[in-house]
Amino acid sequence: MLGRTCAVALLGLHGHVVEVEAHLAASLPAFTLVGLPDAALAESRDRVRAAVSSSGLVWPNRRITVNLSPATLPKTGSGFDLAVAVATLAGAGVVDPARAAQWVHVGELGLDGRVRPVRGVLPAVAAAVAAGRPRVVVPAGNAAEAALVPGAEILAAEHLAQVAARHGADVDVPDVEAVPAVTAAGPPGGPVLDLADVRGQEEARLGVEVAAAGGHHLLLVGPPGTGKTMLAARMPGLLPDLEDADAVEVTALHSVAGTFDASLGLLRRPPFEDPHHTATAASVVGGGPGLPRPGAASRAHRGVLFLDEAPEFTTGVLQTLRQPLEHGEIVLHRAAGAARYPARFQLVLAANPCPCGRAVGKGLDCTCRPEQRRRYFGKLSGPLLDRVDLQLDVQPSRASDGVGEGSAAVAARVAAARAAQRARWRDAGWRTNAEVPARALHSRLGPDGRLLADLHRAVDRGTLSLRGADRVLRVAWTVADLDGRVAPAREDVARALALRTRGHGA
């Protein structure tokens, strides 16, 4: 006797429909699960047996072999429990095999038969629909998340008996309360803060505006209390809402990470991640046992990754960010397989000028030894800083400094600049100046070499690398977009160069 149904295996954000086959043979009772299951999935045989018995269904006294096909694809997590139970019951004739085979089943089983929520339901349901399997059974606690996928026919299950009855089993369905989904954190965007809270700091405010408009990375260096953290925390409020495709992708990432609250619907606001400086490399770029899960860098996709007190992070954590800053994605390889996660975030770094924080101006109040200062800021390596477009000194504010513009006015200019960039690069598929390759930037400028004379001199002096020069040119395009010009002028390049070479980024 053979029963079949389907489940979904996730590798990163990509889901693969898995056929779950249960073969029941007249032999000594046993239960074998094959098809590259991990430890959590291998334990499902005990959960499934207890859940079936608790649901008032008869557990078949046979030799049961469950195969997860394709067998070469790694399967992880407890989300296969429901499919294993349904396939076993179909093989035993308890439920209609034809009905069971028409549905995809995703969910963990409790020992009492209740269907518990799992991570990654949104990308799993999307993968099932894309594979031509729109009928999906999900835990009731994940129903709101699954309903976000267009074209999906969702059955929200609270108990295994409910699923068995839907597939033709003669069983009483108990009246149970659905197990709610538990998220690991609040909304990834956090509360929206107003830029008007920051007094003075005109140059730093300009740098934040330019960074938000062009999708550029930003370094803020200054003594304690100058508003570096306040400026960085207010950058998400300057960014426009996510487009539909980006909202689905960001929501799927947070679903896999377990930080998504389905009651909020699709995540429309850019996420903001600010890990503590004690964070490990695995927590920032992703990791974990088996197939790795997304870290803070991927959870900040299409948003802001803020590293406060950046030199306090370990060198290993900072160096892991170099590749995603260039390519916009993270590929994590493990013995069990590889997971690919998007990671096109804006990196914002904040740092004191030295361990004591008082090396301002001539540094007469600084109590640090020269080697301490070099060692402290040396953690921000040259290759990392070369990828940071804007590098600014933030000077102490004065008591007479007034209140600047609020976030609403600045966000309007940012939205207009981003609209100009989308229109300019629409045919190539780029959205912001930060994504545009150097060749495309230069081809738009024409043969006039005077425009880039300042950049060429900086490269010849060794204060800029060729990659740094390209990043300055991207910033110059953004400055022109904010001023409403169709192309950068020489003064835009000079302003961009000043925003790049000021302070410790020189």
Side-chain angles (χ1 to χ4, degrees), residues 152 177 186 196 215 240 251 276 318 370 387 413 415:
E177 185 176 347
T251 304
H276 192 261
L318 295 172
R387 292 166 166 83
R413 293 197 296 270

Side-chain angles (χ1 to χ4, degrees), residues 254-266:
H254 286 269
S255 173
V256 173
T259 57
F260 172 56
D261 184 356
S263 64
L264 302 176
L266 283 178

Side-chain angles (χ1 to χ4, degrees), residues 234-283:
R234 282 148 182 78
M235 182 180 282
L238 308 181
L239 302 177
D241 287 344
L242 299 175
E243 298 178 1
D244 290 344
D246 291 337
V248 172
E249 189 175 40
V250 169
T251 304
L253 268 167
H254 286 269
S255 173
V256 173
T259 57
F260 172 56
D261 184 356
S263 64
L264 302 176
L266 283 178
L267 300 178
R268 293 288 182 180
R269 292 298 303 155
F272 179 76
E273 293 285 336
D274 54 343
H276 192 261
H277 61 77
T278 58
T280 63
S283 68

Side-chain angles (χ1 to χ4, degrees), residues 7 201 204 216-217 449:
Q201 303 298 355
H216 305 292
H217 309 303

Side-chain angles (χ1 to χ4, degrees), residues 478-489:
T478 302
V479 172
D481 289 329
L482 285 169
D483 290 341
R485 288 189 289 274
V486 296

Side-chain angles (χ1 to χ4, degrees), residues 65-141:
T65 303
V66 176
N67 178 47
L68 309 175
S69 179
T72 56
L73 182 71
K75 291 89 177 175
T76 62
S78 57
F80 289 84
D81 288 3
L82 185 58
V84 171
V86 170
T88 302
L89 295 174
V94 177
V95 302
D96 184 357
R99 293 188 193 179
Q102 294 173 358
W103 289 79
V104 176
H105 297 81
V106 178
E108 177 186 331
L109 290 177
L111 300 185
D112 57 355
R114 288 194 297 175
V115 184
R116 298 180 175 274
V118 294
R119 296 181 178 186
V121 165
L122 177 62
V125 174
V129 173
R133 307 296 298 265
R135 294 184 172 184
V136 187
V137 181
V138 301

